[in-house]
Amino acid sequence: MPSMRRTSPLPAHADLPPSLRIQRSTFQTILSFLPYLWPTGNPGARIRVVTATVFMVLSKIATVYVPVIYGRIIDSLAPNDIVPAAFVVPVALILAYGAIRIGSAGFGEIRDALFASVQQRAVRLLALRTFRHLHAVSLRFHLDRQTGGLSRVIDRAILGMQSVLRLAVFNVVPTALELVMVTAIIWHMFDWRYAAVTCIAVLVYVAFTAVLAGRRGRYRRTMNDTDNDASTKSLDSLINYETVKYFGNEEHEAQRYDHALARYERAAVRVQVSLNALNLGQAAIIAVGLTLIMLLAASGMRDGSMTVGKFVVVNTYLMQLYQPLNFLGVVYMTIKQGLVDMEQMFALLRVEREIADAPGARSLTAHLSEGSAGEVVFENVRFGYEANRAILKGIDFSVPAGGKLAIVGPTGAGKSTINRLLFRFYDVTGGRILIDGQDIRTVTQDSLRAAIGVVPQDTVLFNDTIRYNIGYGRPGASQAEIEQAARSAQVHDFVLKLPEGYDTRVGERGLKLSGGEKQRVAIARTLLKDPRILILDEATSALDSRTEQEIQSALSIVSQRRTTLVIAHRLSTVVDADEIIVLQDGQVAERGNHAALLAAGGLYARMWALQAAEHDLEPTG
């Protein structure tokens, strides 16, 4: 049985000390990232990675050989007492110099071109995997999370992965290779002192960069958290635009948003100041190393052990060495930030699915038949959203195929929970739910949800056209099928009166349509899905009486030949149900048809009398 604990995208090592937790998080992120660099089952991508690596090595060999050719050209240009310099310049060296420079640049561009498809495919696969995973995790997870924050996590992680793929693979490794080559050449051409100064400067530079980058990583995490908070507050406020206006709370929302932005501002300033300190320290290390090398070279010029060409070579090598080394600092910081940005996405991917198909789960639809499909049975069902708070306390009822059951009761009695359990947003903590004799935990979720259609109280539409929203019930449906569903839902004539017809956009969450129009679109969408089991969850409770009557007519068409569960607050909408169960405190308090429950004079009769007084209904059946 799944536990009732709340899921969280935090890593499992959250109890470690902060420093070890950061290191372990970074290590886990790198391990999670590596498979995207060397994709399994994609030999083409692996060949491109290997070929790009070969061109990377060729590019660096050409790069480190350029100063050698350049120094020889300068030495050949030095005047002597016999022949003017212009006549002794070897043309072959100049041509070789030009060819090597072209090769250095060309090999690098070929490398990047070969790796581009690997990089973009990896980003695509990661984004798709995360998107699928967020749809696969439980409703509990999404109720605990804010969509604006999740969206920012995904956006930053995708950009971070692009940076890491682009820089780590073909900038960090090539730079390290170049450092080794340059150090070896300097030692070979001059002596160990030059190589020692070079190595020490590099080691100090790398150590300094790593220390400050670690601190900047923590600052970056803080900045990400505050950015998520600001984005979430902004998105929630704009989605609830009308609510803000109803209460005149524009200034309150602005202050909340500004408070979040102020915290982001402080974090961003710390990130920038730490970057300035990093750049200053790196520049000082480079300057000291370069000065020491030049002093050694100048001493060699005085004692005649170094020619002008070699002096230029050592200077060129140092400038060439420190240029990528300086860039390495920026690359290191970008990679660190990219890994921090990716960390939360990989943490999301580690969130376990609370509701998952059982091993060997069968398809429900494979057992459905036109004549008998759709029987729903609840056997002693118990459930609580939290372990210490029971919502359903042993619910029993059955709905025969094609039958209609109404579920009524006071607010908080557990009516909508039944809908969520049947759709398997959650698993029961006791008892079982059967459809045509099959425990829904033993069938695939896809087949279960394909057999069930829901018309909710709060219909949410996509910010797209009416055609898209109706067609969402069965992607790929023809225009004729969409129009037929709209006719059955009594919305077709309304759509034709619109200037753009079925191409009319409904706005964010369908706000351009009235409540009744949205409900009709939702009914048409469900009709197009053509489910065997239909759940009407307070489908008309938010509508006026006239619109409710019109929607009820459309719902009667939808309910024909389908097993129907009606979850309702207004009792006038369930008088035609085959059976009505009355929930109270998570238990079935009464059951029977409308007339029998009124005759019993119990909870249902009292609820009917109250609503009759409110809506001028007849107090009897």
Side-chain angles (χ1 to χ4, degrees):
M1 219 47 83
S3 67
M4 289 293 103
R5 63 179 179 81
R6 294 184 181 271
T7 55
S8 170
L10 291 176
H13 52 270
D15 57 333
L16 295 175
S19 59
L20 292 179
R21 189 160 63 239
I22 291 171
Q23 293 174 11
R24 187 167 175 179
S25 296
T26 301
F27 182 68
Q28 284 187 343
T29 301
I30 293 173
L31 290 180
S32 301
F33 156 75
L34 287 178
Y36 295 93
L37 179 62
W38 191 253
T40 303
N42 191 342
R46 292 186 173 187
I47 291 173
R48 282 190 290 273
V49 170
V50 171
T51 307
T53 303
V54 172
F55 277 101
M56 175 197 73
V57 174
L58 292 175
S59 173
K60 288 307 170 185
I61 291 174
T63 299
V64 299
Y65 203 69
V66 166
V68 175
I69 301 295
Y70 187 55
R72 291 182 180 178
I73 292 174
I74 290 177
D75 280 339
S76 66
L77 285 170
N80 54 55
D81 298 331
I82 302 174
V83 183
F87 292 97
V88 297
V89 174
V91 176
L93 282 177
I94 296 178
L95 294 177
Y97 176 80
I100 291 176
R101 289 193 68 88
I102 293 174
S104 175
F107 291 147
E109 295 301 325
I110 294 173
R111 171 204 67 193
D112 292 342
L114 287 169
F115 191 66
S117 62
V118 178
Q119 172 186 328
Q120 294 304 320
R121 175 62 63 88
V123 171
R124 170 189 166 191
L125 291 176
L126 178 61
L128 179 61
R129 181 188 171 195
T130 305
F131 183 79
R132 289 182 183 276
H133 185 72
L134 289 176
H135 276 289
V137 295
S138 68
L139 177 64
R140 190 193 309 276
F141 172 84
H142 286 282
L143 292 177
D144 288 344
R145 296 293 172 267
Q146 293 176 305
T147 305
L150 286 178
S151 176
R152 295 290 289 181
V153 166
I154 296 172
D155 289 344
R156 283 200 311 267
I158 290 174
L159 292 175
M161 185 172 185
Q162 288 178 328
S163 298
V164 172
L165 279 171
R166 184 180 65 254
L167 298 176
V169 180
F170 290 116
N171 285 92
V172 174
V173 174
T175 300
L177 180 61
E178 184 175 350
L179 290 175
V180 172
M181 290 181 177
V182 168
T183 302
I185 291 174
I186 289 178
W187 195 333
H188 176 73
M189 292 186 64
F190 307 104
D191 61 50
W192 66 271
R193 295 174 300 167
Y194 294 86
V197 171
T198 301
C199 287
I200 292 173
V202 169
L203 292 175
V204 172
Y205 183 96
V206 171
F208 175 78
T209 301
V211 170
L212 262 69
R215 295 181 181 177
R216 293 197 74 234
R218 292 193 290 272
Y219 299 156
R220 179 71 180 189
R221 284 182 175 86
T222 302
M223 192 171 74
N224 285 352
D225 291 340
T226 55
D227 182 37
N228 287 345
D229 185 43
S231 177
T232 298
K233 283 183 169 57
S234 171
L235 185 62
D236 283 348
S237 179
L238 294 176
I239 287 177
N240 294 285
Y241 171 85
E242 291 181 85
T243 304
V244 174
K245 289 294 184 182
Y246 291 153
F247 293 92
N249 278 339
E250 294 90 343
E251 184 59 30
H252 169 70
E253 291 296 325
Q255 290 178 359
R256 291 179 70 233
Y257 184 51
D258 183 58
H259 180 67
L261 289 178
R263 287 186 287 122
Y264 176 82
E265 176 187 359
R266 291 192 294 270
V269 168
R270 295 184 72 180
V271 170
Q272 181 59 46
V273 171
S274 64
L275 176 61
N276 297 140
L278 177 65
N279 290 338
L280 179 61
Q282 290 172 337
I285 294 170
I286 289 174
V288 170
L290 183 60
T291 301
L292 292 175
I293 290 291
M294 295 307 296
L295 288 174
L296 290 173
S299 175
M301 287 291 295
R302 281 198 305 269
D303 61 24
S305 61
M306 180 174 289
T307 64
V308 174
K310 288 185 175 182
F311 183 87
V312 171
V313 168
V314 72
N315 183 68
T316 304
Y317 262 133
L318 288 172
M319 299 303 296
Q320 183 173 296
L321 176 65
Y322 283 125
Q323 182 178 359
L325 189 60
N326 183 52
F327 183 62
L328 183 63
V330 178
V331 170
Y332 182 78
M333 286 309 309
T334 304
I335 291 174
K336 285 286 292 184
Q337 291 178 4
L339 290 173
V340 169
D341 292 341
M342 292 165 61
E343 180 182 313
Q344 288 181 309
M345 175 181 279
F346 283 116
L348 284 177
L349 291 173
R350 289 193 293 271
V351 174
E352 295 183 1
R353 296 173 60 176
E354 182 179 341
I355 307 300
D357 289 342
R362 300 173 298 172
S363 173
L364 174 67
T365 54
H367 300 271
L368 295 182
S369 61
E370 186 65 28
S372 62
E375 181 190 32
V376 177
V377 177
F378 274 55
E379 292 184 353
N380 194 29
V381 170
R382 300 176 181 274
F383 175 75
Y385 293 103
E386 302 292 341
N388 57 355
R389 180 179 170 229
I391 302 298
L392 301 182
K393 306 170 184 177
I395 298 295
D396 286 288
F397 66 80
S398 64
V399 190
K404 184 174 183 178
L405 173 76
I407 304 171
V408 301
T411 299
K415 302 187 298 295
S416 293
T417 299
I418 290 177
N419 168 23
R420 291 176 172 179
L421 291 175
L422 183 59
F423 215 73
R424 211 180 166 209
F425 283 142
Y426 302 92
D427 275 337
V428 299
T429 55
R432 60 178 184 164
I433 301 173
L434 307 175
I435 294 180
D436 288 342
Q438 301 171 79
D439 191 324
I440 62 173
R441 290 171 294 188
T442 66
V443 301
T444 62
Q445 294 177 72
D446 288 343
S447 65
L448 170 68
R449 291 166 185 168
I452 302 175
V454 179
V455 180
Q457 172 186 0
D458 183 17
T459 298
V460 178
L461 302 181
F462 292 94
N463 188 7
D464 211 303
T465 64
I466 292 177
R467 174 187 292 106
Y468 177 84
N469 277 283
I470 295 178
Y472 198 80
R474 179 155 49 88
S478 67
Q479 178 64 23
E481 292 172 321
I482 291 174
E483 291 183 7
Q484 180 57 44
R487 288 189 184 93
S488 299
Q490 302 178 11
V491 73
H492 177 70
D493 293 340
F494 160 74
V495 175
L496 292 184
K497 293 177 183 179
L498 298 172
E500 297 181 55
Y502 281 90
D503 291 324
T504 301
R505 301 188 72 88
V506 302
E508 188 77 33
R509 299 172 65 85
L511 292 179
K512 291 184 179 180
L513 303 181
S514 69
E517 291 160 358
K518 286 199 299 182
Q519 284 296 73
R520 288 187 179 94
V521 170
I523 293 170
R525 182 167 60 187
T526 303
L527 271 172
L528 189 62
K529 182 180 180 181
D530 193 24
R532 291 295 303 146
I533 300 170
L534 179 65
I535 302 174
L536 306 178
D537 187 1
E538 304 275 13
T540 62
S541 63
L543 305 177
D544 60 82
S545 298
R546 180 178 176 181
T547 304
E548 179 185 23
Q549 292 176 358
E550 295 173 350
I551 296 297
Q552 280 298 126
S553 175
L555 289 175
S556 297
I557 297 174
V558 177
S559 302
Q560 292 177 2
R561 302 181 307 279
R562 292 181 172 87
T563 303
T564 305
L565 278 76
V566 182
I567 298 170
H569 174 70
R570 292 185 183 179
L571 304 186
S572 60
T573 63
V574 301
V575 295
D576 62 338
D578 300 326
E579 184 181 24
I580 302 171
I581 63 172
V582 184
L583 294 185
Q584 186 175 34
D585 296 328
Q587 296 177 318
V588 178
E590 299 175 356
R591 68 174 72 220
N593 60 29
H594 174 68
L597 289 173
L598 284 181
L603 177 60
Y604 182 86
R606 291 195 297 273
M607 293 170 60
W608 178 267
L610 283 173
Q611 293 188 18
E614 293 174 0
H615 302 290
D616 295 326
L617 297 177
E618 292 293 333
T620 64

